[in-house]
Amino acid sequence: MRPPASRTKFALLLCVHFFFFSFLSPRIAANPRPPSPMTRQSSAQLPPSTQIPPLVASTSDQAKTEQYTLSHDKYEKAVAYSRAGYTLYFLSYILGGIFLFLILRLGIAARLRDIAESASQIRWVQGVVFVPSLLLLVDVLDLPVRLYWHQLSLHYDQSVQGWGSWFWDWTKEEIVGIVIGIVLVLILFAVMRYSPRRWWLLSWLPLVFVLLVLTVIWPVVIEPLFNKFEPLSHQHPGLVASIEKLTKRAGVPVPPERMFLELASKKTNAINAYVTGIGASKRVVVWDTLIQKTSNDETLFVVGHELGHYALGHVVKGFLAGAAALLVALYLLFRGLYWALDRWDHEWKISGAEDWASLAVLLLLLQVLLFFSSPAINWFSRAQEHAADVYGLEVTHGLIPNSSEVAARAFQALGELDLSDPNPPPFITFWLYSHPPVAERLVFAHTYDPWSKGQKPKYVQ
């Protein structure tokens, strides 16, 4: 589950979101409070939210797990927790837009620009002064929402991370985001000064290159700043051997040295696994909580899902789709920036597009663009996640006894442990869910059976 992260950095790194939302972030988690991975919940074959689902004992005691069900207590908690997350998601966008508008309207962006220009006559030095000032200001304004979200996670026993550790992670996040922001903004404004009318096109390839580098180094350089990793073979050699059987069947070369255990239990009670990186940094990561709280076969199904992302080329496809989306976004920003400055440049004290203060305008436009593009981005992600579900079912068929039931129990465990919403509104699913709802996925695990129908599997022959 992911909290309502700083909208400034998400706006500034819109292309990162387009490219790597499903690749830099954990791909398998349970709750779609502002965006999260694997188990996006739905109302499929579930009682309406006004009813109470049946009490359920441990899923391992059931002959079949055909529906996503929760005990009365967990049902109430899941609904309350999810609804709070949905509210914070939209609230964070609204507040982010208001903050950026006020920074422009009150002349704060212009004042920060004046400070940067008085610090040096050298253009890039001005950027190094201005960009962190603006980004940090907006992130500090956004901090109360982040704090409240963490408090909710603690209250509902999703997080076990203390406040000191949380603030240290937030500080590191700010440093990383600001460094990346400086690089991207300096490139963008240098191209903007060189070609005021075609900067949206000329900056595209340099930005794509920077983001490609980020994708490669992210698992190796950035993720270890926030979490501890160790080779999966150190504590779970048997699991590694089982995963190798899956990789051989899938024809996906994932050597044991690229299988990692993330010691997530130090910060969360949630369960998770994901694929990340590209090229030499590509890897499968399994959270220790997943191994602790699910059976070995259920963990293997989750890994099979992840192998689907490798085998089906989702990283490359996502990158190419992101590159195309970035080009469209840059053009829309180009048109929106000049439209806004034609109307309010005097009021905002901005002399032109190349003025450092115009970055606040770009961030505001990006905020709007990211918000309204979220359904399309999440639709693309849901399609990939469904394909990976199909792949996971196919690659484990015959290798894991009763593999469809194992997959269903894995979805049940993901939803139950992560307090996934048992009955999210269709609009929320459409707008927020980057993964299909868990109830739909659980039902699909039981209904997808091409073998008994004499049909060929879609991916794994």
Side-chain angles (χ1 to χ4, degrees), residues 21 35 373-383 430-434:
F21 177 74
S373 65
S374 291
I377 297 170
N378 288 326
W379 170 83
F380 181 80
S381 178
R382 285 196 302 271
F430 164 76
W431 201 277
L432 294 185
Y433 280 32
S434 68

Side-chain angles (χ1 to χ4, degrees), residues 361-382:
V361 184
L362 288 173
L363 291 177
L364 179 57
L365 294 171
L366 279 168
Q367 184 90 342
V368 175
L369 182 58
L370 179 57
F371 178 75
F372 286 104
S373 65
S374 291
I377 297 170
N378 288 326
W379 170 83
F380 181 80
S381 178
R382 285 196 302 271

